[in-house]
Amino acid sequence: MRYKQSVIVKNVSLFDAKKVFCDIDFLRYLISFQPVKVIQWDGTFDGAFAHMRFWFFGWKDFMVMHSNNTSDKVSFSFKDMGSVLPFGLTKWEHTHEVLEDGGNIRIVDNIEFSSKSNFLNYLIFPILIAPIFIRKILYKTYNWSN
C-alpha cells in the first residue's frame, strides 16, 4: 500500500530544514503525542539506525535503517528502510523529501508498506498512517529556528 502527503511550511530555509531533520529533538516533537519511545537514534545519514517502540496492545519494536540520501541546492531526501517491523509488516519504506519552494519548504512523505495479506494491509493502514498524517500540523507548528 502507498500513502503520500505534501506539506508547505512557510519561512523555513532548506538549510535549516536539513539541520532539523537530523536532530533527535525534531523526532521527539513529531512523536510527542503518540505512545512511542525512542530506543536508538543515529541520525539520518546513510547507514544510520533508528529503533523505536510503539504501544499498541503491547510494545512493538520498529527499526529502520536510513539510506538513499541525496542533496542539491534545492532539495534533500532520505529513505527509512524497515528492518524490524511490527504488525505483520513485510516491507516499510518511507521517503522523506524536502524541497525549496520560494522562501518556504515543501515536505513530502512518501510511504510504501506491505504485510502478509491485503486484509491486514487495510486493517493496519490507519495505525501506520495516522502518525504521518498529523505531521501536516506538526511540521507547521515546529520551531524550525532552533
Side-chain angles (χ1 to χ4, degrees), residues 11-94:
N11 302 315
V12 175
S13 73
L14 189 65
F15 176 80
D16 286 340
K18 191 169 188 177
K19 190 169 55 171
V20 163
F21 262 82
C22 297
D23 189 342
I24 192 168
D25 289 334
F26 181 57
L27 173 63
R28 286 185 178 133
Y29 180 77
L30 294 177
I31 64 172
S32 61
F33 302 106
Q34 302 167 44
V36 178
K37 295 179 188 178
V38 177
I39 306 303
Q40 180 178 345
W41 172 258
D42 296 341
T44 60
F45 58 88
D46 284 350
F49 185 71
H51 177 190
M52 290 169 271
R53 284 202 179 116
F54 292 86
W55 172 259
F56 189 76
F57 301 107
W59 289 103
K60 312 290 186 213
D61 285 314
F62 192 86
M63 299 180 199
V64 298
M65 185 74 65
H66 294 122
S67 64
N68 297 0
N69 271 269
T70 62
S71 183
D72 58 34
K73 292 181 182 181
V74 295
S75 69
F76 71 89
S77 67
F78 64 95
K79 185 182 282 192
D80 301 339
M81 301 286 292
S83 58
V84 174
L85 302 170
F87 313 123
L89 289 172
T90 56
K91 176 183 181 179
W92 173 267
E93 293 182 7
H94 178 181

